Every structure is written in structure tokens, then in C-alpha cells.
Amino acid sequence: LDKGREAHRQGSRLSAGAAALEAMLEKHALTLATSGSAPGFVNALSPTAAELRDNGFLPSFVSTEMPFGGVMRFTIRVGANRGLFGLACGDTSVLTMGQPGSSVAGQIMHAANGRGLRTTAALPGILSGPSFQDTPSPFNGPAIVCAWAALPAQ
């Protein structure tokens, strides 16, 4: 396992997941912000990869399998003034040799094209990165990595 190559692969997949969420946010902003719903989604605030693919947001060639374990999951939050914030996250901590891989998690975060966020052992439920700090993570663990998508209030 080439950790650098696999970290880049995982970061690229998370970034593609965030891009899919961003396209969904742009298309369904009004219904997501007002009712938390969108046509073609059972629970639009927790869309599945299949729903994102079926609705044309996530390309079929983007794998949701995470090279360091787990799968990519998606969440959307409606914030103040109805701004929208989405996360594409690996659902388990990055592990290397059976232990949380904080340095690899950092590499994945940086490979996510400026959209990366990660938890740490000190703050296992809080995501931080270059663009956002102190964001609650949908998954708890010492090396969770996500990529974000945001649509400001309209």
C-alpha cells in the first residue's frame, strides 16, 4: 500500500463527493432550505450515493469506497438564514497499521482540493481544516476526514 497515493485517491474521492453535494445544493436550494426535502431523495439531508448518482450529481466512476477503510457518506445541514452546508465523509477513522493515522488523515485532507476537514485525537467529534474550524462531525473518531460543500443563504 502506497500511503501517499492512497491518501490522494481518498482525498480526490471526497472532493468529488463534495462537488456532487454542491451541485445538489445549487439545484434544490429552496426546497432544501425551507423543508429539508428534494425530489428524488428519500431523506434529502442524508442523501445516499445511489440517489446522488440516479439524479445525475455523482458520476458513476467515482467510488465511495475509502482506501483507508469505510465508505463515503453524505450529510446536509441547514444553517442560519437558510444557508446550506454539505459534508462528504469517510464514515470511519483513517487507520494505518490498525491505529488512527493522523498524518495520513492530514494528507487526505490536503488532497481534497481545498475542501478538506478532519478530526483529531484531541477533538474526535470536531472537524477543522483550512476553510472551516470547529464544525461538528457526523462521525466520531480521531481521524475522520471529510470534504465540504456550501451554499450561502440566498
Side-chain angles (χ1 to χ4, degrees), residues 6-21:
E6 294 301 305
H8 186 269
R9 181 176 294 146
Q10 187 159 331
S12 295
R13 288 177 184 174
L14 290 169
S15 180
L21 282 176

Side-chain angles (χ1 to χ4, degrees), residues 100 102 118-125 141-143:
S102 60
R118 62 175 281 199
T119 64
T120 63
L123 294 169

Side-chain angles (χ1 to χ4, degrees), residues 7-149:
H8 186 269
R9 181 176 294 146
Q10 187 159 331
S12 295
R13 288 177 184 174
L14 290 169
S15 180
L21 282 176
E22 191 165 86
M24 180 191 173
L25 297 180
E26 289 171 357
K27 182 171 183 176
H28 299 297
L30 183 60
T31 58
L32 283 167
T34 57
S35 66
S37 64
F41 295 88
V42 173
N43 179 355
L45 299 180
S46 292
T48 66
E51 289 170 330
L52 289 166
R53 288 188 207 291
D54 292 347
N55 287 280
F57 299 117
L58 184 66
S60 60
F61 62 83
V62 175
S63 174
T64 57
E65 296 294 320
M66 298 287 95
F68 289 95
V71 296
M72 187 177 354
R73 305 264 186 228
F74 305 90
T75 60
I76 296 172
R77 299 171 183 160
V78 181
N81 302 317
R82 297 188 177 162
L84 299 168
F85 186 75
L87 289 168
C89 299
D91 64 353
T92 62
S93 281
V94 172
L95 297 177
T96 55
M97 296 175 42
Q99 299 296 315
S102 60
S103 65
V104 173
Q107 289 177 320
I108 294 167
M109 180 184 74
H110 291 293
N113 297 322
R115 296 176 181 257
L117 299 168
R118 62 175 281 199
T119 64
T120 63
L123 294 169
I126 302 296
L127 294 162
S128 292
S131 301
F132 292 96
Q133 301 291 314
D134 303 325
T135 301
S137 176
F139 303 101
N140 196 26
I144 299 289
V145 184
C146 302
W148 61 269

